[in-house]
Amino acid sequence: MSEKILIGSDHGGFLLKQYIIKQLASEGYEYQDYGCYDQNSVDYPDIIHPLASDINNGKAKMGIIMCGSGNGVAMVANKYKNVRAALCWDATQTALTRQHNNANILSMPGRFIDFDRAWEMVKVFISTEFEGGRHLQRVEKIGKTL
Ligand code: RB5
């Protein structure tokens, strides 16, 4: 499995995505940009379905997604069985969703957090391990519907 980080946004998250890409590149991370590629209005499902599908199929382990609120992109990503996308606003939430939920996609609200905070969150997301233990059976139950 590739260690490449998949990244995508709509126009609401575009500027934040570009900043995160610049930071990833400067620290030598491999990434794949799923768009969008400018600030023109797009429909976030068109960007996020391909990215989430690639995580779902095991082509990569981690994704970072943004829209204005972080909600729309997370909703799309969470349609996929093997995706656990977490909408986070700070580094503590981000650490917790890796430790407890084994989140594999970080969703951020591009219109509500500043770039420095977002980059701190990305670094925490990449470097924090799932704790397993009592959290494992809970995570395994996420995909079970009634
Ligand atoms: C776009 O205006 C906005 O609706 C979108 O970025 C996102 O916040 C949707 O959830």
Side-chain angles (χ1 to χ4, degrees):
M1 183 184 292
S2 160
E3 293 302 317
K4 203 182 275 182
I5 295 164
L6 311 188
I7 186 163
S9 77
D10 74 352
H11 51 290
F14 173 73
L15 293 176
L16 177 58
K17 175 171 72 70
Q18 297 312 104
Y19 179 76
I20 297 297
I21 283 175
K22 186 164 69 80
Q23 295 300 107
L24 288 171
S26 78
E27 297 210 3
Y29 289 101
E30 250 197 286
Y31 65 88
Q32 186 172 339
D33 184 2
Y34 285 70
C36 58
Y37 303 110
D38 57 37
Q39 289 191 77
N40 292 327
S41 182
V42 288
D43 296 338
Y44 53 83
D46 296 340
I47 310 289
I48 302 304
H49 276 301
L51 185 157
S53 170
D54 282 348
I55 297 281
N56 190 53
N57 296 330
K59 287 191 189 145
K61 274 204 305 203
M62 279 192 172
I64 302 166
I65 58 179
M66 309 87 163
C67 59
S69 65
N71 273 316
V73 288
M75 287 178 190
V76 175
N78 279 320
K79 289 287 179 191
Y80 293 80
K81 188 173 173 10
N82 301 318
V83 166
R84 290 171 303 282
L87 171 55
C88 295
W89 295 70
D90 67 22
T92 305
Q93 276 181 311
T94 304
L96 282 171
T97 201
R98 286 287 311 126
Q99 290 164 342
H100 293 186
N101 315 123
N102 201 14
N104 51 12
I105 294 186
L106 171 63
S107 175
M108 296 190 287
R111 291 186 175 140
F112 296 94
I113 55 173
D114 66 41
F115 288 3
D116 288 344
R117 176 190 290 218
W119 175 236
E120 187 191 353
M121 289 164 62
V122 168
K123 284 191 293 183
V124 166
F125 190 72
I126 291 169
S127 62
T128 306
E129 296 293 327
F130 178 48
E131 282 179 4
R134 70 185 189 282
H135 300 294
L136 181 59
Q137 70 178 11
R138 296 169 185 169
V139 168
E140 285 172 348
K141 286 178 180 176
I142 290 175
K144 298 207 166 117
T145 48
L146 302 180

